[in-house]
Amino acid sequence: MHVPDGFIDAPVSVAAGAVAAAAVAVSLRGARRELDERTAPLAGLVSAFIFAVQMLNFPVAAGTSGHLLGGALAAILVGPYTGVLCVSVVLLIQGVLFADGGLTALGVNITDMAIVTVVVAYALFRALVKVLPNGRGGVTSAAFVAALVSVPAAAVAFTGIYALGGTTDVALGKVFTAMVGVHVLIGIGEAVITAATVGAVIAVRPDLVHGARDLRRPLELKEATV
Amino acid sequence: MAAVTDTPKRGGIRPLWIAGLIAALVLAGFVSYYASASPDGLEKVAADHGIDKRTEDHAAKDSPLADYQTKDVGDARLSGGLAGVIGVGATLALGTGVFWVVRRRPRADEG
């Protein structure tokens, strides 16, 4: 879903850049609470893993493919603030080194692929974890649904940005329907990859999964020291 | 002093870290060759509806890694795989650097 240069006009690109910069600044502060000397290297790895999986476009419909966005995965594994930063790092590397995603569109791309995916996915994930049965299955299912919804949410965000500053004159209803339609399909892939990865990490080290901290709370209480 | 020493002793992160890095390198270095070459959702919608009429050339289009291919490496499998491995390395380095600087230091700071 990397927006190239020229889709969105300059004023809206600049505004999206300001939104992205503010969100990154907030995330840098918030990530401090999520990261320590154990989780910081893991968060770097999550970035690299998302970069790798983003290369794996899977077919979704005739002549169309999709790839992981990774916001849901990052937020659940290492926390929402760190998650925004993980995806932003990936987008920066892709834009600068791989010519993927326009440099003037970096703010747009961070806004819809890092911020919107993380906020939507993490809010939904937290809500679902509360109502689903406590345990690995509950967390994995919540991750599945959160990831699934985060992709069309990013498509809606793109449509909104296009409405404000699109350089072409395409009916918004058409853009909305086409974008959301195909991204629901891509969201299924996002959900499968996210649930599989979260499930695999929880199976071996639930203590290192930010979104599964509730699973280990009873264990933690026992070893708590004053 | 040093009231915050709650690091749980549940083993290091190294095994998980190494497994994750190997997975990322294999996916970007080898599996990526088999990825779908079709346009992604946005590219397809943009082309179908004409959203992309004013697309501009990418400022980094002459980057030696542009479009996930390594410049001057003829073999497509090697060229893409190498680009993927370099990308994993670059992302790991930048991400780890940022997160290491940002992290909470082990000293008494009430949250």
Side-chain angles (χ1 to χ4, degrees), chain A residues 66-95:
Chain A
H67 62 71
L68 181 82
L69 298 182
L73 179 63
I76 294 164
L77 286 180
V78 289
Y81 294 106
T82 309
V84 168
L85 299 174
C86 279
V87 181
S88 299
V89 163
V90 171
L91 294 170
L92 181 65
I93 293 278
Q94 289 169 329

Side-chain angles (χ1 to χ4, degrees), chain B residues 3-84:
Chain B
V4 186
T5 44
D6 58 357
T7 324
K9 293 172 182 65
R10 295 197 51 162
I13 61 158
R14 188 168 288 188
L16 181 66
W17 190 87
I18 290 171
L21 183 60
I22 291 171
L25 289 172
V26 169
L27 294 173
F30 297 96
V31 182
S32 62
Y33 181 75
Y34 301 97
S36 167
S38 298
D40 76 10
L42 174 63
E43 290 165 344
K44 183 71 163 65
V45 170
D48 286 354
H49 297 277
I51 293 171
D52 59 358
K53 278 193 201 112
R54 299 195 177 199
T55 308
E56 292 157 17
D57 276 349
H58 198 288
K61 73 179 166 59
D62 297 322
S63 156
L65 295 170
D67 297 321
Y68 302 89
Q69 297 295 316
T70 313
K71 201 175 193 171
D72 299 330
V73 176
D75 181 68
R77 192 184 284 267
L78 197 61
S79 180
L82 192 55

Side-chain angles (χ1 to χ4, degrees), chain A residues 11-199:
Chain A
V12 173
S13 296
V14 170
V19 169
V24 167
V26 168
S27 299
L28 284 168
R29 290 185 63 87
R32 197 178 132 73
R33 289 193 299 275
E34 295 169 349
L35 297 169
D36 56 26
E37 71 274 20
R38 275 175 3 131
T39 50
L42 286 177
L45 177 65
V46 167
S47 266
F49 185 80
I50 289 171
F51 173 88
V53 180
Q54 284 207 1
M55 288 181 76
L56 309 180
N57 283 60
F58 47 85
V60 288
T64 312
S65 72
H67 62 71
L68 181 82
L69 298 182
L73 179 63
I76 294 164
L77 286 180
V78 289
Y81 294 106
T82 309
V84 168
L85 299 174
C86 279
V87 181
S88 299
V89 163
V90 171
L91 294 170
L92 181 65
I93 293 278
Q94 289 169 329
V96 172
L97 294 183
F98 295 89
D100 189 15
L103 295 182
T104 63
L106 186 59
V108 170
N109 284 321
I110 288 180
T111 301
D112 64 16
M113 284 190 281
I115 304 169
V116 171
T117 57
V118 165
V119 170
V120 169
Y122 199 69
L124 193 52
F125 174 80
R126 295 300 303 171
L128 286 169
V129 160
K130 285 204 178 79
V131 296
L132 288 169
N134 193 15
R136 185 175 151 201
V139 172
T140 310
S141 309
F144 187 94
V145 177
L148 175 52
V149 175
S150 72
V151 181
V156 171
F158 170 80
T159 308
I161 293 170
Y162 180 79
L164 294 172
T167 55
T168 49
D169 206 13
V170 182
L172 286 180
K174 266 191 201 170
V175 178
F176 181 87
T177 312
M179 280 297 286
V180 172
V182 68
H183 285 95
V184 167
L185 298 177
I186 296 172
I188 296 170
E190 178 100 13
V192 170
I193 296 168
T194 303
T197 309
V198 169

